[in-house]
Amino acid sequence: MAVRVVNSCSIFRCACPPPPPPLSPSRCVSFHFRPFKPHKNPNLGFHSLRTRSQVYSFGTRSRFFNSLVESVMEELKAMSTRRRIRANSRVFVMSSRELVEDKIEKWVLQKGLLLEFRKDSEKVLLAVAQKPDGKKNWMVSDQNGTTSSIKPQQITYIVPGVQDFNHADISDFIERAQNLWDLTLLEYAWVELLEKEKSVTAEELAEIIYGSTEPLESYCAHFLLSKDEVYFNTIGRKGSCFVYEPRPSAQVEELLQRKRAKEASERELQDFVQLLMSAKAMASHCKPPKCSWTTDEKRKYRIESLEAYAIDACKSDDQKRMAGMILKAMGLPKVSSAAVNLLMDIGYFPVHVNLDLLKFNIRTEYSDEILAAAENLLSLCHDPDMGNRKNLTFLKVYAIDVDEADELDDALSATRLQDGRIKVWIHVADPTFLVQPRSILDKEAMRRGTSVFLPTATFPMFPEKLAMEGMSLKQGKPCNAVSVSVVMHPDGSISEYTIDNSIIRPTYMLTYESATELLHLNLEEEAELRILSEAAALRLQWRRQQGAIDTSTIEARIKVANPDDPEPSINLYVENQSDPAMRLVSEMMILCGEAVATFGSYNNIPLPYRGQPQSAISDFLFSHLPEGPVRSSAYVKIMRAAEMDFRKPIHHGVLGLPGYVQFTSPIRRYMDLLAHYQVKAFLRGDSLPFSAGELEGVGSSISSLVRRARTIQSTSLRYWLLEYLRRQPKEKKFRALILRFIKDRLAALLLTEVGIQASASVSVGTQIGDEIEVRVEEAHPREDVLYLKEVLTS
């Protein structure tokens, strides 16, 4: 028996003399049958073979087919190499008329035909035509037993030679067909057809590779061609039949290289998916560390693709495609929430990951260069204003802030003059004696724009050590400051003011709670604190006379310990902004802003002057609303947006001031730092570091950074408030204040014990300003969902 590699009828056939050219003796081998192992095809639900040894059967006919072993493949490769010179020559393509007349058999759809149709973009099914459905469509019964209507363009193949096929026999047909599916057969046919420069239909290919054009073999040849991405190219179609031509050798070699690369990539993807599944199945304390996912470059790219997909921040289509492939391989939907949950399940993301930090690319670390520059400043510690600082260490100085404040920007002093007027000092930390405009640390602070305060962490505008040790006010120690002193008229307006470089020694570091307690105790030895409280009351009264609006409300503050734990500790603080100590500090900060704006205007200094147009707000319009959160909420709903001018003060309608400059937080707000640069340069007699135009350019970018930070702070606070409520007992009741009605009996509520706003339906008869009780029905932090239900009293 001789073996022919190519033949016009079949690839393997008993041959008579003249014999074909012999193969190299060193490559002659014997052929053996190997066990048949079908593999499931995901597209059709069929099985395909990966072995070249086949047993074919149809009806009572049986054929045995031995595939070539590796040596024959090497011979074919050698033959292909010898023919490569033909790669650039034109492959013969039949004319359109030949295609129509000689290669295409016109099929007319009729009942009982066995056909293949495309169910969707990824799946094809076998079905039997049943009856017409309208003018063009047909009802078919597919291999799954489903009857549906299909369009003619969905049909990809009609099996020839089959009539009155019973759809119940499709499964048997598929089972027999699976023994014939071997994509490697196309390589042998490709060699023969390329040599003859011949195109074929599926039926002609069946004759070449199977020696038969029976329905089963014809369909299998079509199936192989439809799955082929290497050897053949479609050149025409008529009805349901396609015509194929062999690709040139060079193109086949290139496609094979691509295919091998794709298969290698798919194996790597499967290995990665197995890692994900393994990590997902581990107990929480056994999850691999985050750094282990980035040790290998390919693994790092895949995990970073998932992370980018999770926060809707894919940098390229390839990254998005990679994430989609991973999710699909994991059996997950291609949505960002699925990526988030997967990254949580493998331990890459903590359960309470702050996605906004990643989405907005918030700077959470400092480079070695910045840290080295900060260390250098601390070691040198040169003060250019040393000879021009006023010694105010004799004053009693109160620094009042939240109990967990990392750095202190401001402190207060007060005294009563002999004429009875009140004089106050607002002492502001002076970071500009260390940091100069346009220096490396200044540029880093500008890129950040503001410190970001979250329940889980603080990301400071300056490196922490520099801010805490070099800039922040410290109790009992001499501190460099800029002190704004103001003498007030009896009605609370400004009588006179000064701005000086100073040295102070803070006496007390108080929380708002402890400061309020001291005020209530009314201790004689703390007369200065009582004077500050009196000054704040005078200022509030005067500002209201100028049209100021009181927007004080109830706010929540949360600190989370060990936020990476699945159940971290949550500490909730609820603050009433009308609290005496908070009111005191707020009024002194506003007074400082007015004094600096007046100073800047008088001396023609470009500064970030803030204003807010007066809305058409009448006290009479809201007089029926109770003061506090209810009235404040109504005011805020109709307020106009704030504005900035960098050349002259503008009216601030909400604060009731002719001009205002934020000046009291230069360690944590870059706009305040800009004001310090300008004022400090003027006090030294130096030229101003920024023109009005330059300030405007910087201010625009800083405003964007500040808005982003506020968004993150707000969403993070709300997330943890919802997490706090989620943990509360279902029977627990909360007091809620009705702020307004949204629609019918749906009301906006403020939970006064938590400081969070939500909405719920309330009973008939309740009014704005009423306090009701509610229970938490559901709280889902990740979805920002809070369902409340009113507790009705009998």
Side-chain angles (χ1 to χ4, degrees):
M1 177 180 181
V3 178
R4 293 191 63 187
V5 176
V6 292
N7 187 283
S8 60
C9 296
S10 63
I11 292 180
F12 299 106
R13 180 178 295 179
C14 293
C16 299
L23 297 174
S24 171
S26 63
R27 295 179 181 170
C28 290
V29 295
S30 59
F31 306 110
H32 303 277
F33 290 103
R34 286 177 287 181
F36 163 67
K37 296 179 181 179
H39 298 276
K40 190 168 183 179
N41 183 298
N43 291 331
L44 278 164
F46 299 163
H47 291 72
S48 62
L49 297 178
R50 293 183 184 174
T51 175
R52 297 182 185 177
S53 298
Q54 319 269 341
V55 177
Y56 307 109
S57 61
F58 184 72
T60 60
R61 185 183 347 175
S62 297
R63 296 187 186 86
F64 293 89
F65 179 78
N66 288 347
S67 69
L68 289 174
V69 290
E70 196 64 28
S71 61
V72 178
M73 291 299 299
E74 291 178 6
E75 179 67 23
L76 286 172
K77 185 175 182 180
M79 293 170 60
S80 298
T81 302
R82 292 193 296 270
R83 293 191 182 96
R84 195 167 297 159
I85 191 171
R86 299 183 182 180
N88 295 322
S89 62
R90 180 178 65 85
V91 177
F92 175 76
V93 180
M94 305 178 73
S95 69
S96 300
R97 179 167 179 168
E98 289 176 312
L99 289 176
V100 173
E101 295 180 356
D102 298 333
K103 299 296 180 184
I104 303 296
E105 181 178 359
K106 186 175 182 180
W107 291 89
V108 178
L109 207 57
Q110 58 186 15
K111 181 179 180 181
L113 288 183
L114 180 62
L115 57 86
E116 180 190 78
F117 73 97
R118 187 166 297 282
K119 180 71 173 178
D120 52 43
S121 61
E122 298 182 352
K123 182 181 291 185
V124 293
L125 298 174
L126 279 177
V128 176
Q130 297 297 339
K131 61 180 180 180
D133 181 29
K135 292 183 178 180
K136 296 183 179 181
N137 295 354
W138 269 75
M139 299 297 296
V140 298
S141 297
D142 63 36
Q143 65 194 62
N144 298 322
T146 302
T147 301
S148 58
S149 177
I150 65 171
K151 299 177 181 178
Q153 54 265 39
Q154 289 180 258
I155 300 173
T156 53
Y157 188 68
I158 297 178
V159 180
V162 175
Q163 294 181 351
D164 298 327
F165 198 91
N166 188 340
H167 77 272
D169 295 332
I170 296 179
S171 297
D172 182 61
F173 184 87
I174 294 173
E175 185 177 352
R176 291 196 298 268
Q178 69 184 10
N179 294 327
L180 301 177
W181 290 342
D182 184 359
L183 290 173
T184 59
L185 296 176
L186 292 180
E187 181 180 2
Y188 312 136
W190 168 76
V191 173
E192 177 177 346
L193 294 170
L194 181 64
E195 182 179 3
K196 294 184 177 182
E197 298 181 341
K198 184 179 179 182
S199 56
V200 291
T201 61
E203 292 76 13
E204 291 171 338
L205 182 68
E207 177 64 28
I208 293 173
I209 62 177
Y210 300 128
S212 170
T213 57
E214 292 294 323
L216 181 65
E217 284 82 354
S218 294
Y219 174 70
C220 289
H222 155 76
F223 180 81
L224 295 180
L225 287 168
S226 68
K227 299 302 174 186
D228 173 50
E229 298 177 351
V230 177
Y231 296 104
F232 290 90
N233 184 43
T234 307
I235 61 171
R237 178 176 180 175
K238 181 69 174 181
S240 61
C241 296
F242 288 95
V243 178
Y244 305 86
E245 67 173 4
R247 299 181 192 268
S249 299
Q251 186 179 10
V252 166
E253 184 172 348
E254 180 183 353
L255 290 172
L256 282 172
Q257 290 177 352
R258 293 183 187 176
K259 183 179 180 181
R260 285 190 287 269
K262 180 181 178 181
E263 290 171 349
S265 177
E266 289 174 350
R267 287 193 297 271
E268 291 172 353
L269 176 62
Q270 286 304 315
D271 291 342
F272 182 74
V273 168
Q274 287 301 319
L275 284 176
L276 293 176
M277 290 182 172
S278 177
K280 188 175 179 181
M282 293 178 181
S284 58
H285 63 280
C286 298
K287 305 283 187 187
K290 185 174 182 178
C291 60
S292 67
W293 295 98
T294 56
T295 53
D296 174 78
E297 283 301 317
K298 291 184 178 180
R299 188 185 301 173
K300 179 181 178 181
Y301 178 74
R302 290 186 173 93
I303 203 73
E304 288 180 348
S305 296
L306 272 178
E307 182 176 351
Y309 197 88
I311 60 174
D312 299 318
C314 289
K315 298 176 182 177
S316 65
D317 289 340
D318 285 342
Q319 201 174 45
K320 187 174 184 178
R321 191 180 304 111
M322 174 58 70
M325 290 168 59
I326 295 169
L327 292 173
K328 181 179 178 181
M330 292 291 294
L332 300 172
K334 295 180 183 180
V335 293
S336 59
S337 59
V340 171
N341 292 331
L342 174 58
L343 291 170
M344 288 180 183
D345 289 341
I346 66 171
Y348 186 82
F349 277 171
V351 173
H352 300 289
V353 60
N354 190 328
L355 297 176
D356 285 337
L357 276 181
L358 303 173
K359 187 179 298 185
F360 292 111
N361 196 26
I362 296 298
R363 295 170 178 263
T364 59
E365 303 289 342
Y366 284 93
S367 68
D368 292 340
E369 182 183 18
I370 296 298
L371 293 175
E375 287 287 349
N376 186 51
L377 280 183
L378 288 172
S379 63
L380 295 175
C381 202
H382 170 66
D383 180 11
D385 303 305
M386 181 61 71
N388 189 33
R389 287 194 183 275
K390 183 178 289 189
N391 190 340
L392 299 178
T393 57
F394 63 91
L395 290 172
K396 183 182 283 188
V397 178
Y398 298 89
I400 306 173
D401 210 328
V402 294
D403 57 356
E404 70 279 358
D406 296 316
E407 69 261 351
L408 292 173
D409 287 285
D410 50 73
L412 304 170
S413 299
T415 189
R416 194 180 300 277
L417 302 178
Q418 290 184 350
D419 60 5
R421 292 183 300 171
I422 294 175
K423 182 177 182 178
V424 298
W425 287 265
I426 301 96
H427 310 289
V428 183
D430 183 11
T432 62
F433 87 92
L434 286 171
V435 179
Q436 301 302 312
R438 300 181 178 87
S439 65
I440 183 174
L441 285 164
D442 170 70
K443 290 178 180 178
E444 179 66 19
M446 182 172 66
R447 281 191 286 267
R448 293 170 181 259
T450 180
S451 294
V452 180
F453 300 95
L454 303 179
T456 53
T458 296
F459 304 108
M461 188 173 75
F462 286 110
E464 184 176 3
K465 187 175 180 180
L466 178 64
M468 295 292 291
E469 296 183 11
M471 300 175 175
S472 180
L473 302 179
K474 292 176 282 293
Q475 184 177 11
K477 295 182 179 181
C479 302
N480 290 340
V482 178
S483 294
V484 179
S485 66
V486 178
V487 177
M488 295 167 50
H489 285 300
D491 65 353
S493 61
I494 296 176
S495 173
E496 53 189 85
Y497 66 88
T498 62
I499 300 178
D500 299 289
N501 294 306
S502 65
I503 299 176
I504 64 170
R505 182 180 285 110
T507 312
Y508 294 114
M509 296 293 190
L510 302 175
T511 64
Y512 288 112
E513 293 80 7
S514 59
T516 297
E517 186 177 350
L518 281 176
L519 287 171
H520 287 317
L521 290 173
N522 197 23
L523 299 175
E524 187 174 339
E525 56 269 29
E526 300 301 336
E528 294 86 352
L529 189 61
R530 292 203 312 273
I531 294 172
L532 282 169
S533 181
E534 182 182 343
L538 289 173
R539 283 294 298 172
L540 178 59
Q541 182 180 356
W542 179 82
R543 289 194 305 108
R544 284 180 171 174
Q545 291 171 354
Q546 311 309 309
I549 300 168
D550 184 7
T551 58
S552 61
T553 186
I554 294 173
E555 285 191 343
R557 185 164 47 84
I558 275 184
K559 294 303 290 184
V560 179
N562 303 316
D564 288 345
D565 291 347
E567 292 285 329
S569 173
I570 301 176
N571 297 309
L572 174 65
Y573 308 88
V574 179
E575 299 169 342
N576 190 333
Q577 293 176 341
S578 61
D579 173 87
M582 296 195 77
R583 182 79 78 181
L584 184 158
V585 173
S586 174
E587 286 300 327
M588 292 302 102
M589 298 305 106
I590 294 171
L591 174 60
C592 178
E594 182 187 0
V596 172
T598 305
F599 177 82
S601 177
Y602 181 80
N603 295 290
N604 199 28
I605 303 174
L607 291 170
Y609 298 102
R610 302 180 70 87
Q612 194 160 8
Q614 185 83 42
S615 301
I617 300 175
S618 168
D619 288 339
F620 176 77
L621 184 63
F622 297 101
S623 59
H624 66 288
L625 298 176
E627 288 188 354
V630 175
R631 189 177 296 184
S632 295
S633 175
Y635 281 148
V636 169
K637 292 290 288 184
I638 62 173
M639 280 184 184
R640 296 166 64 181
E643 298 175 353
M644 293 194 73
D645 194 296
F646 298 91
R647 292 168 177 80
K648 63 183 185 302
I650 53 177
H651 182 68
H652 202 301
V654 174
L655 296 181
L657 301 177
Y660 177 67
V661 173
Q662 284 188 328
F663 194 76
T664 58
S665 296
I667 303 177
R668 61 182 77 174
R669 292 195 302 238
Y670 191 78
M671 293 298 286
D672 295 40
L673 185 66
L674 284 177
H676 274 244
Y677 285 145
Q678 298 291 87
V679 170
K680 290 290 295 291
F682 182 85
L683 293 176
R684 294 192 195 107
D686 295 342
S687 58
L688 301 180
F690 298 98
S691 67
E694 289 172 326
L695 284 178
E696 187 171 1
V698 174
S700 177
S701 62
I702 297 303
S703 296
S704 176
L705 293 171
V706 170
R707 284 194 298 270
R708 185 180 68 179
R710 285 176 179 168
T711 298
I712 294 171
Q713 289 167 175
S714 175
T715 56
S716 182
L717 175 62
R718 185 169 177 85
Y719 175 93
W720 286 104
L721 287 173
L722 292 174
E723 176 64 15
Y724 172 83
L725 290 172
R726 184 187 69 82
R727 300 185 187 183
Q728 302 307 301
K730 289 293 184 183
E731 65 276 7
K732 185 173 181 178
K733 301 175 184 178
F734 296 91
R735 293 195 302 273
L737 194 62
I738 299 178
L739 300 177
R740 64 184 182 278
F741 284 100
I742 301 171
K743 183 180 180 181
D744 298 330
R745 304 309 299 174
L746 181 65
L749 307 177
L750 172 65
L751 274 62
T752 56
E753 299 156 295
V754 183
I756 190 173
Q757 291 192 22
S759 60
S761 295
V762 297
S763 57
V764 176
T766 52
Q767 302 295 324
I768 294 175
D770 288 353
E771 189 175 89
I772 62 173
E773 286 188 329
V774 296
R775 283 197 183 98
V776 176
E777 294 289 301
E778 291 183 49
H780 304 290
R782 186 64 64 190
E783 291 78 27
D784 189 19
V785 171
L786 177 61
Y787 293 132
L788 302 176
K789 185 175 183 180
E790 182 183 8
V791 178
L792 300 176
T793 56
S794 55

